[in-house]
Amino acid sequence: MNTNAIINIAKAQLGLDEVTYRALLLRVTGTESLREMSERQKLAVVDEFKMKGFRVKPTRKKQLRVSDKRYIRLIHALWNSCHQLGVVSNGSRAALREFCRGIVFPGNDKIAVDPDTLDYDKASKVIDALKAMEQRGKEKAVSDQVHHDGA
């Protein structure tokens, strides 16, 4: 998104009327016109808006369709759980695809494996591996808590 668009969004988000908006531009950059500003001046305006409470909202990523197969949803849930427990350092979909490839086709890095396309037998292998990892993560969390409480 370009800086002009961000400035216009910030103006609307902060509810600035035209007079207040132009006064802010003049105070920050010495000009009331976006067209006359350099990119550096525009960024200074954005910074000023941020100090006044403007927050850039990330664009919504395309929502992925949730599988109608329970075993596929279980893979994603277990993966997220393992990530939250710290057993998996990278909780991304790309990392999950790599993990599934390693379980379903060990040693073959030329095959792409999307967990959403696995049949039940292949998915079961991934689920078993993830359940074991999740269990280890839970046990470590309990152990860490006991050591922390006992210390």
Side-chain angles (χ1 to χ4, degrees), residues 7-25:
I7 289 171
N8 287 318
I9 290 168
K11 174 186 170 192
Q13 191 183 100
L14 295 173
L16 301 179
D17 61 48
E18 197 64 27
V19 172
T20 306
Y21 168 69
R22 296 287 173 190
L24 182 141
L25 295 181

Side-chain angles (χ1 to χ4, degrees), residues 79 83 87-96:
W79 183 254
H83 179 62
V87 178
V88 172
S89 60
N90 180 350
S92 71
R93 286 185 62 86
L96 175 57

Side-chain angles (χ1 to χ4, degrees), residues 34-123:
L34 282 178
R35 288 184 185 150
E36 295 176 10
M37 289 182 199
S38 67
E39 189 63 23
R40 178 172 284 173
Q41 288 173 313
K42 291 175 186 178
L43 291 173
V45 170
V46 171
D47 288 341
E48 181 71 16
F49 283 147
K50 287 180 180 177
M51 287 191 291
K52 294 194 171 298
F54 169 64
R55 295 289 168 251
V56 178
K57 296 177 184 171
T59 58
R60 290 180 53 168
K61 293 182 180 179
K62 180 181 171 188
Q63 194 71 341
L64 296 171
R65 187 179 69 81
V66 176
S67 176
D68 55 349
K69 297 176 183 161
R70 292 179 70 182
Y71 64 90
I72 299 297
R73 292 193 311 266
L74 180 59
I75 288 173
H76 288 281
L78 288 167
W79 183 254
N80 289 333
S81 176
C82 287
H83 179 62
Q84 290 172 349
L85 290 167
V87 178
V88 172
S89 60
N90 180 350
S92 71
R93 286 185 62 86
L96 175 57
R97 286 191 292 271
E98 285 296 311
F99 176 80
C100 290
R101 183 195 46 73
I103 297 295
V104 178
F105 300 105
N108 187 344
D109 61 353
K110 299 198 182 333
I111 295 177
V113 175
D114 185 346
D116 295 351
T117 62
L118 295 175
D119 63 30
Y120 183 79
D121 291 335
K122 289 183 176 98

